Structure formats: C-alpha cells, structure tokens
Amino acid sequence: MGARQEAEIDAWLRNGGLVVTVSDRAARALASAFHRARRAEGLTAWPAPDILDWKSFVRAAWEERTRDGRLLLNPLQEQSLWAAMAGTDQHLATLLEGPRHRLAGLAMEAHELLCAYAPRFLRGNARSAWQQDAAAFSNWLSAFDQTCRAGNLLSPTRLPLELIPLLESDRLERPPLLLAGFDRILPVQRAFFDAWGAWRRDILDQPAAQILFHQAPDAQAELAACALWSRGQLAANPRARLLVVTQNASSRPIRGQIERAFLKHTSSANAPLFEFSLGIPLSQVALPKAAHLLLRFLSGPLAEHELDWLFSTGHAAASPRESSGLQANMRTLRRRGLEQPQWTLNAFIAAFIHQRSANSRLPTPWVNRITEAQRRLADFARRPQSPLDWAELVPQLLETAGWPGARPLSSAEFQAVRRWQQAVEASGSLGFDGRRVLWADFLSVLARTLDETLFAPESQDAPIQIAGPAESAGLTADAIWFLGANEDAWPAGGATHPLLPPDVQRLTGMPHASPQLDWDLAHAITTRLLASAPEVHFSYARQTEVAETHQSRLIAQIAGAAEPLPAAAPPPEPLTIDFKDSNRIPFPPGKVQGGASVLTSQSQCPFKAFATARLAAQGWEPAAAGLTASQRGQLLHAVLHAIWGGPPDGIRLQDELQDLKDRKSFVAAHVHRVFENEMLAVLRQRMPRRYLELEEQRLTGLVTEWLAYESTRIGFEVTETEVASTIHLAGLTFDLRLDRIDRLNDGSLLVIDYKSGDVSPKSWDLPRPDDVQLPLYAGFALDPKEDLGGLVFAKVRAGDLAFAGQVGDPAATLFPGLKSNSTLVKNALTAEQLIDWREHIEQLAKDFLAGRAEVDPREYPKTCERCGLETLCRIQESESQAQLEAEDDSDSMEAADE
Ligand code: SF4
C-alpha cells in the first residue's frame, strides 16, 4: 500500500468511516499503521479505528439483524456434517475416517464456491443435470441443507446470502464502506456491498518508481540475494519496513530454507529482524504436540522416537531433574537392549520396576502423577461421552500429568497454550448434535484440529515481513522483493474443483477455471504490490531442484526481461566473527572405553572419537518390529563362536568340519541353542514364534553355506574365538576383542573378523584408514613369537560369502589353486605394511591422548552418513560455509580471468 492510499484510508478512518479488509491480517496491518500515525502526531490517546475484516464484518451484521436462534456452525462442526453426508453414500460407506474427512473438506470448499460465485445452484432443481462426482456432491448438499433446517443450524458461508435480502428490505442509513486490499471482489461480496449501500474500493497509488527483475542461478542464490538486499536496506535506513513475498511459505522445507537464509544474513543481536505472516500447523508446535502425545500415551502406545521427543521437551515432567531422569531412562533401555518400536505406559513403567539401582528407576513422582492421570481417564473412558465432556477432562488430565512442565513459558509459548485450549474447545464443540464418542475418536478429532489450525505468534512488528502473495494484501512497505517469479509459479496455476461441473466453474468464473482467470488474478495482485512501495524487486531462479525454469511472462511484461543479479554489496561489519578454536584438552593416560573403535573413530574423524569416547555421545539404532541388523549380527557371531568353540558341542579343525555327516542339522542345533539361551527374553516374548522360526531357518541356511565355503580351505585349526586381550599403546590402555584366530598349515596365525555387511580391506588403506581393528590387533595384541599369516574379513552374507583381506601366501595357506590374478594373491600382506600400520596407529593414539578433536571427516558426506553425530558437530553448517567460500573463490577467479 502506497503513501497516497495510506493517507486516504487514514482520512477515511479519522472521519469515522468504516473500512472492510480482505483478511484479518490486512485489518491488523491497517490498525497498526493508524496507531503509528497517531503516535507520530504526538497523541497519547485516540478512538479505535473502525476496521473489520470481511468475515468479522459479515458476522457482526448478522448478529445485529437476526434473532432466529439458528446455531452458526464452526468449521469443525460443519466438516463433521459433510463427513456424515459423504458417509451415507453407499459407494463411500467403506471409506476410512481420514479419506472421509478429506472428502468432507472438499465438499465444504465446493459449497463455499457455490455460495460465492453461483448461489443459484444452491437450489436442488438447478443441479438436476449434474453428473457423476458432481451429482454425488449435489445429493450431499441436499442432505446437508435438510440437516441444517431440521437442526436449526447455519453454515457461516451462507451468511452473506442470508443477509442480502435483509439489507435490501431495511431502509436504515448505513455508513459508507471503504474496501481495502481486495485483489478481486467475489460476486457474492459485490451483491452484499450493493445491498449495504454506498461503498468503494481504495485507490491504488502510482506504480513504484523503481521496478527491477533479477535472474539468479538457483534458489539458494536467489534467497541469499534477497536476504542480503534486506540487510543492505536496513543498514541504509534502520526504520525501513520491507515486505518479502513468496509462494508456498507454509510448506515446511521452503519455510526452513527462507528462515536459514534470513537468519544467516540478517542476524541481529536483539529481536529477529524478520517474521512470517503465515503460521504453521499447531500439531508442529512443541507445547500442543507434547500435550497430544501425553494424552495418547495415557491410553495407547507411542512410538519410541515420540517418547524420546516428548521427554526431551521437558513438557512431560515437573522439574528439570525429573526431565533429565526420564531421558536417562530412555538411554538405559537402549543400553540394556530393551528398545522396542512402541511403548504403552504400562509396559514402559514395567520395564523399570525391578531395577535395584536408584539411578535406573523412573522418577517416583512422575510415575505417581502419570498413573493417576491414566486411572482418571480409564474411569471416564468406560463408555462413550459427549465431546464436550472429553474437552473438559483434557485439561485436568494434562495438569495431573505435569504438562506444560516446570519452566516458565515465553510469550509465544503462552500464546501456543491459548491456541491449544481453543483447539480442545473446538473439538468439544462437536457435541452440538448430542453425539457421544469414544476417547480414541475424540483424540483423532483433536489431532485433525491441530493439523488444520495454523499458529503464528503475535507479530512483533519486525521490519521484514514475509508473506504469501494473497496474505500480503494491506501490508505497508518501503520496498518489496517478490521471490519465485518464474513462468510455472506466477501466475499461480491450479486445477478446477473435482466436485463441481467444469462448465459451471467456467461460466461463473471460479478460480482456475481458465488460464485467463489465473492471469487476471496474478495481474491484480502484481499491480497492487507495485502500488504498495516505491521500490519493487522481482526475482526467479533459473534452475530448481528438478528442472530449468523461465522468467514469468507477466512480470517480464511489466518489468522487462530479467537481468542477472547484481554483485552483492560488501557485507557490513559482522556481529560475530569466526574463531578457530585450536585448544586441546589432553586425555589422562590410562584406560579408554570403546576398544579399537576409538582409534577407528580417531582416523575417521577426530571429533567422532572425542564425542564417543570422552563425551559418551552415542547414536541409537531405531528399534524395529523384527530383529535389527545389529541383533542379527550378534546372533551370527554367537552361532559361529559356538560352532568353532571346540568340544563338547563345537569343533576346531577343518578335518572335523569335513567329517560332519549332517552339517545342516549340526548348524541348526547350534542356532536353536543360541536363540534359546542368548537372545534377550524380552525380544523373544515380543516377536511372534513363527517369525523367530523363520529367522532360525534363515541363519541356519547362511551358516551352513559358510561352513561349506570354509570346508574348501587348506587345512587349519581354530585356536581361539571371541579372543579378549588388553594392549598398552602410547600411554593408553585398550581392551580388545577379536572374533577368531586360526592356525594355518605353515604354523602362522590368521586373524579373522566376521562381517555381515559389505566390507573391503581397502578400509585399512593409509593414510586415513576407515577401520583399524584388525591392523591394531595384528600389530599390538599378538604374541611377538608368533608369525602373522594374514588378516581377513569373513564376509558371511547371503550370496556373497568370501574371505576379503591380506594374507602372506594365500595360495599356499588359504585356498588351493588360487589364481595369480585373484584379489587375495594380488594384495598379499607385506612386512612393510605391518610397520606402516603400527606407526600410523601409534600416531592415532597419540593424537587422541593429546586431545585432537577437530571436525574433519575422512570422506564427506560418506563418513558422516554412518556416524549419527551431525547434530552435535554441526558438520552441515561448516560444509555449506566451505561450499559458499569455494563458490566465491571460483567466481572471483572467473572474474579475474575475464
Ligand atoms: S557427523 Fe561427520 S563430521 Fe560429525 S562427528 Fe561424525 S564423522 Fe565427524
């Protein structure tokens, strides 16, 4: 909105006129502008301006004029009626609840379109020729009307239509209206304003004096340019008000990208410099999400990751101590191998009930509160209740359970709690028709309400407002930047409504009924934006994630062809400066927890070793419905250990292996014993018997095949399995465990590590090995009097059974007849290699001891993908910074070349 337009609205309001805006957002923006102007005049008090958004205006007019006692439905009530109508359709009777409610949402939209564009089709006989889906909708609409009549109910969408005859019949003098921010006036609005009396639209200012259209190489560069431009504008004029217009700002990834770019380039020591005008679903806001999870936990299972999240928020505990206790309990579960995909409250409490150590028990006050809430709910949930009664019970349950936690709430959190209460009340309002529902049904209504309710904390009047094209109506700005002005996105296209006949939509000019309508609307919004600030920038990215894009024809017609982005102005003095912390905190010599994996981590990334061995940071493998990869690996190791463990049940010699009469039965007996004796009882109880039988069969088949492979080896003896040893290295002590050692036919030793994944001896390559376990063992744990024959991974994988590694003379000691071009022969183990490994591993130990802990992955992003510590080391941030710097360097080199 430009200065002239603002002055016009201001004068209108000062003269006691009534302003109607297109949206609530626009009404708030105009009210703020009015108050700012009064303060600028030095006033300390003034009458409130008469500004109403369209919906509130109609509602107020209705309340003034009617006393017929009809209940005005809220959106949830109306949707439930539409869902009931759709449910009576025999073709849709089997639809699940979710799709039925989505269909009800579509029916509500179709009803709204008819009311706004084509009210004559609200009469049943006007719809008699409608076919297929439109005919089905027509039946639902008739049923909806009948239900409303019978129940004395009214859809708010019908209010303008109900009011028009009332306004036409009463001859009272009404104040003239000034309409602000309407990019288009719908037919029903026009009829309503005509019936009201005098009205007119605000007059747009002259188009901006400066209109520019930029072309960026990609979306990231486009966002960065916009954020840097905003920073430059505010540096030049700290009182400037900027508007950034973007489409899809409600989509989570796009909102996240915008947020990151603006945080990075416009960070401020005080309040944030930007805010979004469009909120996010309430179900994604921490406090309401925690409340809903707690309610679900009282009566059903939560996924383990949901429980992790709930406890980490502190909203389920009465004190920080209780909260950290609950989080520690989750870690204890994992350490004891008791993870499971879902937890009921009872199972969760039972998992800790017999713990001896006080540290491993659940906090008693928490258990008392949550079980008390559970008991209250169970009493109430014996029979269906009115949604109103459930809504009354919810705050009592949450209070008993300790929500929202002990921490004082911030202003935004307080508003979120208020919004949550409204969502609960709205869900309770479904009791308007006297229905009774089960607790589970009430919870799913509440979940839907949270998904469909958008929440944005009250505006802090940040200088940069980020809004969608439609929501930007009525916003004041000194300069505007419109992002994403490409051919596919602007004019914004869309599909016709699936429940209305296309010819009705075309004839009445409903949205997206023709490309021309989309063009006209986009043109109106663009014209309004051009008149809303003296300086307007448009931009688009030439390359999106999926395709190359072209400039918007509409914007090119107005602003001329897009030009490449100008070089960014030199950044102002940063508020923060990068500081490379090269301090090292030495590790006290002595024992290190974690064995060989510490040195493997030190080689993969020094920070990983620091975080895991010194900070005890750990990534968890998510629990699965069946056995996880690591549980399968443990069972495989246990079976091979039992088989090669020697008498009385096992064997040691290759001859014994070849003499086995029924190898498969021999293996099956070992597998069965391992499943019976070594698998955690809770795992066995949780998994179906038949599933475990299939797992036993699978493992039996795999190990039998492996033994067949080993039986073709040159004679050997297994000297030890699950070998434990302790080594001392550079002042550190490591406890090592090795899967197996064989004595080969020449008397030398073969060091073996079982692997069920895809591994290669390349992982031992210097200068940065990806795995040092076997070289460490071979170099430091073997008796110096023994000869080392080789080190190998035993790859026990279905369809990929092999020894992979380095052996001194594999053709003479491992497999007869190995060809000279086989990998084992080509990569024979050498004495020099052993010396190099020893020196390198010793250096790794010294580095760990000295406290070398830089974030330096061996191979980004591959190393990080298997690590799980990225939230701690924040590698993405430093990598994207490095990438930007590399791009800057290559840009400046190109510029120098030119
Ligand atoms: S995620 Fe990558 S950078 Fe971070 S600690 Fe792990 S390996 Fe190092």
Side-chain angles (χ1 to χ4, degrees):
M1 182 179 307
R4 208 178 94 199
Q5 198 182 354
E6 213 173 278
E8 183 202 12
I9 294 174
D10 196 61
W12 187 276
L13 290 170
R14 292 180 68 160
N15 292 332
L18 175 57
V19 172
V20 179
T21 63
V22 69
S23 65
D24 174 41
R25 181 82 184 80
R28 278 185 278 128
L30 287 190
S32 303
F34 180 83
H35 297 311
R36 264 200 310 273
R38 299 294 79 76
R39 276 195 295 273
E41 287 165 0
L43 297 182
T44 52
W46 54 88
D50 219 349
I51 307 172
L52 284 173
D53 66 87
W54 160 249
K55 283 188 180 158
S56 312
F57 172 61
V58 172
R59 170 92 49 131
W62 173 256
E63 280 162 8
E64 240 175 60
R65 282 167 184 78
T66 63
R67 299 278 179 273
D68 65 6
R70 275 184 289 176
L71 172 74
L72 213 49
L73 295 165
N74 66 26
L76 203 63
Q77 292 167 332
E78 182 167 346
Q79 195 184 26
S80 81
L81 284 188
W82 284 108
M85 302 309 137
T88 55
D89 195 317
Q90 18 167 299
H91 302 296
L92 303 170
T94 53
L95 268 192
L96 293 174
E97 197 197 328
R100 195 143 54 84
H101 277 92
R102 276 195 290 283
L103 199 55
L106 276 179
M108 266 174 89
E109 274 171 27
H111 177 228
E112 225 170 290
L113 285 169
L114 286 186
C115 291
Y117 288 85
R120 69 194 172 87
F121 287 102
L122 292 173
R123 289 197 308 276
N125 52 10
R127 304 191 301 267
S128 55
W130 288 13
Q131 307 278 325
Q132 295 171 346
D133 290 347
F137 167 69
S138 172
N139 291 337
W140 306 343
L141 179 51
S142 303
F144 177 79
D145 281 340
Q146 218 172 353
T147 307
C148 285
R149 268 195 304 278
N152 217 17
L153 309 170
L154 180 62
S155 159
T157 312
R158 294 279 178 98
L159 284 187
L161 296 170
E162 295 267 342
L163 274 165
I164 289 170
L166 295 180
L167 291 172
E168 284 170 344
S169 63
D170 93 37
R171 297 266 148 227
L172 292 176
E173 184 79 2
R174 284 182 281 267
L177 303 178
L178 180 65
L179 309 189
F182 283 77
D183 293 317
R184 63 179 161 189
I185 295 185
L186 308 179
V188 71
Q189 291 172 328
R190 188 173 292 281
F192 182 92
F193 293 136
D194 287 342
W196 176 271
W199 65 276
R200 71 177 177 80
R201 296 171 78 163
D202 53 347
I203 301 162
L204 292 184
D205 269 29
Q206 293 297 318
Q210 198 184 357
I211 306 173
L212 297 162
F213 192 10
H214 311 290
Q215 176 193 88
D218 53 39
Q220 210 179 359
E222 186 191 13
L223 266 178
C226 174
L228 285 167
W229 167 84
S230 305
R231 184 171 72 178
Q233 293 274 330
L234 292 176
N237 173 15
R239 297 170 67 86
R241 304 187 62 72
L242 308 176
L243 172 61
V244 173
V245 181
T246 176
Q247 305 194 55
N248 303 326
S250 56
S251 118
R252 210 171 164 150
I254 292 180
R255 191 182 175 104
Q257 285 163 16
I258 297 174
E259 216 159 12
R260 278 194 292 280
F262 275 79
L263 276 174
K264 183 174 166 125
H265 296 296
T266 66
S267 58
S268 147
N270 304 314
L273 292 178
F274 66 93
E275 63 188 19
F276 288 87
S277 72
L278 203 63
I280 54 170
L282 206 51
S283 55
Q284 292 172 16
V285 179
L287 272 160
K289 182 176 169 180
H292 191 247
L293 285 179
L294 260 176
L295 293 177
R296 276 177 50 205
F297 198 35
L298 294 180
S299 58
L302 287 189
E304 199 166 77
H305 67 88
E306 290 178 317
L307 214 48
D308 272 327
W309 181 86
L310 179 62
F311 292 154
S312 73
T313 60
H315 295 317
S319 67
R321 195 187 157 89
E322 204 173 273
S323 173
S324 58
L326 288 167
Q327 290 173 67
N329 290 128
M330 293 304 289
R331 290 195 292 276
T332 306
L333 279 181
R334 268 72 177 249
R335 289 212 182 92
R336 288 167 46 204
L338 296 179
E339 65 271 19
Q340 55 184 54
Q342 292 195 324
W343 286 97
T344 60
L345 179 54
N346 291 347
F348 184 69
I349 292 173
F352 292 94
I353 227 152
H354 298 300
Q355 290 306 304
R356 296 227 175 98
S357 144
N359 286 342
S360 303
R361 277 186 235 130
L362 288 169
T364 310
W366 181 83
V367 175
N368 293 343
R369 284 197 319 273
I370 196 107
T371 45
E372 167 61 14
Q374 187 189 36
R375 194 194 53 72
R376 289 189 71 172
L377 174 61
D379 280 353
F380 215 71
R382 282 186 220 287
R383 60 193 71 83
Q385 306 283 353
S386 158
L388 291 163
D389 293 335
W390 287 126
E392 241 175 66
L393 181 70
V394 161
Q396 298 168 27
L397 294 176
L398 289 176
E399 196 188 334
T400 311
W403 183 86
R407 191 168 48 78
L409 299 183
S410 68
S411 159
E413 285 174 329
F414 188 77
Q415 293 169 50
V417 169
R418 183 78 207 102
R419 207 74 188 83
W420 155 261
Q421 288 161 347
Q422 288 167 355
V424 174
E425 281 161 22
S427 305
S429 73
L430 278 188
F432 73 106
D433 56 1
R435 72 180 78 176
R436 291 186 173 271
V437 297
L438 294 169
W439 170 243
D441 298 329
F442 180 78
L443 270 188
S444 63
V445 170
L446 185 55
R448 256 199 337 271
T449 311
L450 296 178
D451 278 341
E452 287 165 12
T453 308
L454 291 185
F455 170 73
E458 243 169 43
S459 167
Q460 301 294 308
D461 223 11
I464 307 170
Q465 294 289 322
I466 304 173
E471 295 91 49
S472 65
L475 293 190
T476 312
D478 293 308
I480 294 175
W481 187 300
F482 186 110
L483 291 159
N486 69 48
E487 194 176 29
D488 300 328
W490 198 246
T496 50
H497 200 284
L499 295 183
L500 295 174
D503 56 329
V504 169
Q505 297 187 57
R506 230 178 358 261
L507 283 172
T508 54
M510 288 185 192
H512 310 308
S514 74
Q516 185 59 44
L517 285 167
D518 290 341
W519 178 280
D520 291 345
L521 178 60
H523 194 275
I525 294 174
T526 310
T527 308
R528 189 244 306 151
L529 286 171
L530 287 174
S532 300
E535 179 184 336
V536 180
H537 297 248
F538 296 91
S539 65
Y540 84 102
R542 257 193 342 257
Q543 186 70 43
T544 66
E545 270 172 22
V546 285
E548 204 170 308
T549 62
H550 300 282
Q551 62 185 10
S552 154
R553 278 185 304 120
L554 173 60
I555 302 302
Q557 270 183 18
I558 294 168
E563 300 281 344
L565 281 170
E573 273 305 296
L575 291 170
T576 53
I577 51 166
D578 280 347
F579 169 68
K580 275 242 175 314
D581 186 356
S582 52
N583 281 322
R584 291 178 181 178
I585 305 167
F587 185 78
K591 190 153 186 167
V592 192
Q593 296 297 333
S597 70
V598 177
L599 295 182
T600 289
S601 298
Q602 186 73 25
S603 181
Q604 289 174 342
C605 171
F607 183 79
K608 183 177 175 187
F610 179 83
T612 51
R614 298 182 63 173
L615 305 181
Q618 222 175 331
W620 301 114
E621 193 181 11
L627 291 170
T628 62
S630 82
Q631 284 161 348
R632 284 204 177 109
Q634 283 162 15
L635 289 168
L636 171 71
H637 276 71
V639 169
L640 288 168
H641 173 51
I643 287 175
W644 289 112
D649 298 320
I651 55 174
R652 287 231 178 251
L653 298 170
Q654 194 223 21
D655 288 347
E656 290 174 290
L657 174 61
Q658 286 176 336
D659 290 347
L660 285 175
K661 299 232 161 18
D662 184 352
R663 209 178 276 154
K664 190 163 183 186
S665 305
F666 171 75
V667 173
H670 278 285
V671 170
H672 188 66
R673 259 198 303 276
V674 165
F675 268 67
E676 286 294 312
N677 303 332
E678 304 205 19
M679 201 171 166
L680 279 175
V682 279
L683 277 185
R684 268 209 320 276
Q685 286 154 10
R686 179 155 65 78
M687 293 181 197
R689 182 78 224 138
R690 181 68 190 129
Y691 167 76
L692 290 176
E693 280 167 14
L694 288 172
E695 280 290 343
E696 277 192 32
Q697 284 169 20
R698 185 196 63 80
L699 191 53
T700 302
L702 180 65
V703 175
T704 309
E705 275 184 54
W706 174 254
L707 292 188
Y709 172 73
E710 286 225 61
S711 71
T712 62
R713 282 176 58 185
I714 295 169
F716 64 91
E717 179 190 0
V718 177
T719 62
E720 282 181 282
T721 59
E722 298 290 330
V723 194
S725 60
T726 300
I727 61 162
H728 305 281
L729 180 58
L732 294 171
T733 305
F734 296 91
D735 286 335
L736 305 184
R737 181 168 288 276
L738 191 73
D739 290 340
R740 178 171 140 192
I741 298 179
D742 286 5
R743 190 168 297 282
L744 301 175
N745 62 341
D746 64 353
S748 64
L749 296 181
L750 182 71
V751 176
I752 300 174
D753 187 18
Y754 295 128
K755 293 284 183 197
S756 48
D758 191 14
V759 285
S760 153
K762 277 191 168 316
S763 62
W764 305 329
D765 283 356
L766 297 173
R768 284 189 77 172
D770 198 28
D771 182 358
V772 299
Q773 189 195 4
L774 291 188
L776 173 70
Y777 198 93
F780 297 92
L782 281 188
D783 184 341
K785 293 197 281 299
E786 296 278 10
D787 275 345
L788 177 67
L791 27 155
V792 287
F793 291 124
K795 289 181 14 176
V796 191
R797 280 157 56 86
D800 183 20
L801 302 167
F803 278 122
Q806 293 188 254
V807 179
D809 189 354
T813 59
L814 205 56
F815 288 106
L818 270 180
K819 300 240 168 63
S820 58
N821 62 353
S822 82
T823 319
L824 277 168
V825 175
K826 281 197 297 191
N827 294 326
L829 182 68
T830 63
E832 294 74 39
Q833 209 164 14
L834 284 172
I835 295 168
D836 288 349
W837 275 333
R838 270 189 71 96
E839 282 174 3
H840 186 79
I841 289 172
E842 212 157 351
Q843 187 56 47
L844 286 174
K846 286 179 186 162
D847 288 346
F848 177 79
L849 197 64
R852 241 195 89 185
E854 58 270 30
V855 175
D856 178 19
R858 173 180 176 270
E859 190 183 353
Y860 180 82
K862 211 167 142 197
T863 311
C864 301
E865 281 162 8
R866 293 174 280 136
C867 174
L869 295 175
E870 57 277 18
T871 46
L872 187 62
C873 67
R874 298 164 69 176
I875 179 70
Q876 272 100 348
E877 288 172 37
S878 44
E879 274 301 314
S880 51
Q881 180 63 29
Q883 210 176 335
L884 278 180
E885 281 164 13
E887 278 166 18
D888 284 354
D889 285 351
S890 78
D891 285 353
S892 46
M893 277 165 68
E894 276 169 27
D897 287 348
E898 283 163 17

